[in-house]
Amino acid sequence: MSAAPAAPAASAAPAAPAAPRRPRARTAYGLAALAALVALAAAIVCSLPLGSSDIGLSDLAHPERLSELQRSVIWELRLPRVLMAACVGAILAVCGAAMQAITSNDLADPYLLGISSGASTGAVIAIVFASFQWGVIAGAAIGAVASFVLLMALLRGSKADTTRVVLTGVLVGYLFQAVTSLIVTASGNAESTRGIMFWLLGMLSAARWTTLAVVAAAGAVGCAVLWSMSGRLDGLLLGRATAETMGVPVTAVRYTVLVTVSLLTAATVASVGAIGFVGLIVPHAVRMLVGPLHARLIPLAALVGAVFLVVADAIARVAFAPVELPVGVVTALLGVPVFFLILRRITP
């Protein structure tokens, strides 16, 4: 008696191959970068006619309608100002992302090192005592260099330990803030005090082609240096011990970032003053979109930071026209609620 042939086992249907996630991630990142570029171009064009001069957006498409004075306003005042806002916003955002990586501190920003306070002290001294055109910029640059030298001297032998970096930066900042307050109080000049307050809160109206060229060149080199260190910054996110086992020269990376961020901060503060919140909130916002890897975070943060500061400067010009607000006031008013929303998203 022959056994009945066994029924063939039902073969399981082959599992569908998982959809490749990397191409999708690259496409999403490319779309985000393209959207940021378009937003930046639109913000620059739309902000050019804003201000006290009677210039409309349609006049930019027909420059023959503009008078010689209006052309001068656009070319000599508005365009360098808007481009300076874009450059400074990009620099501050990139520096903020790098500082948050090397300090493992979510509250780190470019001003954590006290360089901005030193630059502010130098600028205040120049406003009170100097009488030549480049006095404020020169004074701010000297103050920034002095604070940087002091910072490096105090960090000597520390191997750029994160706690030591943060506390030393705070110490340097408080020292120069005290000197600034002393000078302002002792000057007793109402006009100088008003100029000091405007400069300390950010004054993009002082932007010119010469200063823009310096800031843009420094920003391009400095941001390229930080971007080239993306892989090592990613390693630092895992902690010093893990990063060292991965071959990351932790101390060298931290000192390189500290020097680069200090020089970039000195260039921006010396040119337009201290503008807060850009380097704090933009890296967090971009990190929520593209993740923590710095090869993607740094370029997109630069674009978003540029858009943010261009828009903030436009608001500063029109909110209480013809009176112009310091742009640092606008970034703070926008930054506080935005940072609170980000904080709610990233904390359980």
Side-chain angles (χ1 to χ4, degrees):
M1 180 176 178
S2 60
S11 59
R21 302 182 68 179
R22 188 178 297 273
R24 288 186 179 181
R26 288 178 178 174
T27 301
Y29 179 76
L31 291 175
L34 179 61
L37 276 172
V38 172
L40 177 59
I44 289 175
V45 172
C46 293
S47 65
L48 280 176
L50 299 179
S52 57
S53 299
D54 188 17
I55 301 174
L57 190 60
S58 60
D59 295 330
L60 298 180
H62 303 280
E64 66 276 3
R65 299 178 183 175
L66 299 174
S67 65
E68 193 65 30
L69 177 60
Q70 289 175 325
R71 291 177 187 173
S72 178
V73 168
I74 292 292
W75 180 254
E76 299 296 335
L77 299 179
R78 299 278 176 79
L79 187 56
R81 174 178 183 152
V82 172
L83 295 179
M84 178 69 86
C87 288
V88 171
I91 291 171
L92 293 178
V94 170
C95 289
M99 287 299 299
Q100 289 166 10
I102 68 166
T103 61
S104 302
N105 188 338
D106 290 338
L107 294 178
D109 72 349
Y111 303 142
L112 180 68
L113 302 176
I115 307 299
S116 62
S117 298
S120 299
T121 300
V124 166
I125 293 174
I127 291 173
V128 173
F129 298 107
S131 58
F132 56 98
Q133 180 180 2
W134 285 78
V136 175
I137 295 177
I142 293 171
V145 171
S147 60
F148 172 71
V149 171
L150 178 60
L151 176 72
M152 290 295 106
L154 294 176
L155 288 176
R156 192 173 184 178
S158 67
K159 296 184 179 181
D161 176 72
T162 54
T163 303
R164 181 81 175 268
V165 168
V166 172
L167 294 179
T168 304
V170 172
L171 176 68
V172 172
Y174 276 130
L175 172 63
F176 282 98
Q177 286 174 20
V179 175
T180 300
S181 300
L182 177 64
I183 295 170
V184 172
T185 304
S187 67
N189 188 321
E191 185 177 349
S192 295
T193 301
R194 186 175 183 274
I196 289 168
M197 291 304 299
F198 263 82
W199 194 90
L200 290 177
L201 293 172
M203 194 171 63
L204 285 165
S205 59
R208 297 295 182 268
W209 288 111
T210 49
T211 54
L212 173 62
V214 174
V215 172
V221 174
C223 291
V225 170
L226 295 176
W227 189 40
S228 69
M229 302 173 66
S230 295
R232 296 179 176 183
L233 293 176
D234 294 340
L236 289 180
L237 296 178
L238 303 175
R240 184 182 188 112
T242 305
E244 287 178 341
T245 60
M246 295 170 60
V248 177
V250 175
T251 301
V253 170
R254 284 178 176 169
Y255 272 118
T256 302
V257 172
L258 288 177
V259 172
T260 305
V261 169
S262 297
L263 294 177
L264 290 176
T265 304
T268 58
V269 176
S271 301
V272 299
I275 301 172
F277 275 93
V278 181
L280 177 61
I281 65 172
V282 171
H284 285 297
V286 175
R287 201 176 285 115
M288 290 172 58
L289 296 176
V290 301
L293 298 182
H294 289 82
R296 295 184 174 189
L297 173 63
I298 287 177
L300 192 56
L303 292 174
V304 175
V307 173
F308 179 74
L309 195 53
V310 169
V311 172
D313 180 53
I315 295 174
R317 277 184 275 161
V318 301
F320 294 96
V323 178
E324 182 178 314
L325 288 175
V327 69
V329 173
V330 179
T331 57
L333 291 175
L334 294 176
V336 169
V338 169
F339 188 67
F340 179 72
L341 292 177
I342 294 173
L343 187 64
R344 294 194 63 178
R345 289 287 301 273
I346 64 178
T347 54

